[in-house]
């Protein structure tokens, strides 16, 4: 591990000033960044510890929540308003990692979690455009069972690894940022980027920009929401496919729906096609399956992961059926 400086700023303005230095990194719980530093995949010259900033969960006018970037994942999952008004978020967080990691990880750090593609981590033996732009991607012709089926490019087929972000995408969360030009907000569906020709650029963050909070807008029907994660073992594994969903019904038909997928793309995948296909449709397994078919129509499998397409369709259908038959 390279040498680096360490600073613990007193407020967001000081954090941004320190974080704007060349090769500086913001430090949350460190559950991903420190791993990457040990593997020499990240070599920051300075760490700016922001865990003492933005550590509250505040009520917003109209019924939303403002979750500080420094709030621990466990605290979010256990918060009464999150559990009762946004259960999909609590369940997604509890599906991720171990209790020890959730106790350390912060919301801001989770949003910036990097891919767990094994070719990205294999600095000595594999080519990776995300790690070294222009080098090539050995995952495309390699063992790619866990890789992307939606939104990938010829430059990168890695998947995003956060469970929490899939729920945030379904909820239409807003990312609050502080940068050189002041504060701004960005929908989380626009925050993470698809790889296209530049997989090394993973987010819309500007240099030195700091995540200060995540805002949950009021979504009344999110009280009927859930998260299902399909993985190779029952604990501590990343998703092959995951589904975050919220469903509003009226007179036997779908009035509104939120749907996002994890484990299938370079970013949390908001299933806009499926949502559009579902609105106004009868609450039937056939209609849910048709919506899943519409969303996955653009899927492109690799050599080892074609099973994910059918798995995603079945999981979407099962999750929507679960919500549709849930007692109010």
């Amino acid at each position: 591990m390279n040498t680096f400086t360490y600073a613990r700023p007193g407020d967001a303005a000081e954090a941004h000033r320190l974080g704007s230095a060349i090769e500086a990194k913001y430090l949350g719980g460190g559950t991903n960044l420190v791993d990457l530093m040990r593997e020499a995949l990240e070599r920051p010259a300075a760490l700016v510890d922001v865990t003492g900033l933005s550590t509250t969960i505040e009520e917003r006018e109209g019924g939303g929540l403002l979750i500080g970037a420094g709030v621990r994942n466990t605290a979010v999952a256990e918060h009464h308003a999150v559990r009762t008004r946004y259960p999909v978020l609590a369940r997604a967080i509890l599906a991720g990692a171990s209790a020890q990691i959730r106790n350390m990880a912060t919301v801001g750090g989770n949003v910036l979690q990097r891919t767990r593609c094994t070719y990205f981590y294999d600095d000595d033996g594999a080519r990776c455009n995300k790690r070294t732009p222009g080098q090539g991607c050995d995952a495309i012709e390699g063992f790619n069972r866990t890789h992307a089926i939606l939104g990938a490019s010829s430059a990168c087929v890695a998947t995003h690894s956060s469970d929490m972000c899939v729920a945030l995408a379904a909820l239409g969360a807003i990312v609050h940022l502080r940068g050189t030009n002041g504060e701004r907000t960005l929908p989380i569906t626009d925050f993470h980027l698809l790889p296209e020709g530049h997989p090394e650029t993973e987010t819309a963050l500007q240099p030195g920009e700091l995540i200060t909070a995540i805002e949950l807008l009021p979504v009344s029907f999110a009280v009927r929401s859930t998260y299902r994660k399909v993985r190779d073992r029952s604990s501590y594994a990343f998703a092959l496919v995951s589904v975050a969903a919220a469903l509003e019904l009226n007179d036997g038909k779908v009035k509104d729906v939120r749907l996002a997928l994890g484990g299938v793309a370079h970013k949390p995948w908001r299933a806009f096609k499926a949502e559009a296909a579902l609105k106004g449709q009868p609450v039937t397994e056939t209609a849910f399956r048709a919506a899943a078919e519409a969303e996955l129509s653009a899927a492109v499998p690799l050599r080892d992961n074609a099973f994910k397409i059918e798995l995603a369709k079945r999981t979407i259908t099962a999750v929507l059926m679960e919500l549709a038959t849930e007692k109010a």
Side-chain angles (χ1 to χ4, degrees), residues 74-248:
T74 297
V76 177
E78 292 180 346
H79 195 275
H80 178 73
V82 174
R83 287 191 293 109
T84 55
R85 282 145 52 183
Y86 306 97
V88 62
L89 178 56
R91 291 170 185 170
I93 291 173
L94 293 175
S98 66
Q100 292 90 341
I101 291 175
R102 295 194 295 269
N103 289 342
M104 283 297 296
T106 63
V107 168
N110 198 317
V111 169
L112 293 177
Q113 186 176 174
R114 304 197 70 185
T115 184
R116 304 301 171 130
C117 173
T118 54
Y119 295 92
F120 170 69
Y121 272 83
D122 188 5
D123 193 18
D124 295 327
R127 296 177 302 150
C128 175
N129 288 319
K130 183 182 289 296
R131 191 183 61 235
T132 307
Q135 187 180 52
C137 173
D138 280 341
I140 292 175
E141 298 297 331
F143 181 65
N144 43 42
R145 180 172 179 273
T146 62
H147 289 72
I149 55 173
L150 290 166
S153 77
S154 59
C156 184
V157 293
T159 54
H160 195 267
S161 51
S162 168
D163 294 291
M164 183 188 79
C165 289
V166 182
L168 293 178
L171 292 169
I174 303 295
V175 185
H176 286 238
L177 304 165
R178 184 186 182 100
T180 302
N181 297 319
E183 298 180 355
R184 68 173 179 136
T185 59
L186 199 60
I188 197 162
T189 48
D190 295 336
F191 180 81
H192 298 103
L193 305 177
L194 291 176
E196 300 179 344
H198 293 280
E200 75 280 7
T201 304
E202 298 173 336
T203 71
L205 276 176
Q206 299 298 311
E209 206 165 29
L210 173 68
I211 299 173
T212 58
I214 300 294
E215 182 177 1
L216 300 180
L217 302 175
V219 182
S220 60
F221 63 94
V223 296
R224 187 195 290 262
S225 66
T226 194
Y227 182 78
R228 184 177 295 189
K229 180 178 182 178
V230 182
R231 47 192 166 183
D232 279 329
R233 59 178 188 239
S234 60
S235 68
Y236 206 177
F238 295 99
L240 294 170
V241 168
S242 67
V243 174
L247 190 62
E248 183 177 28

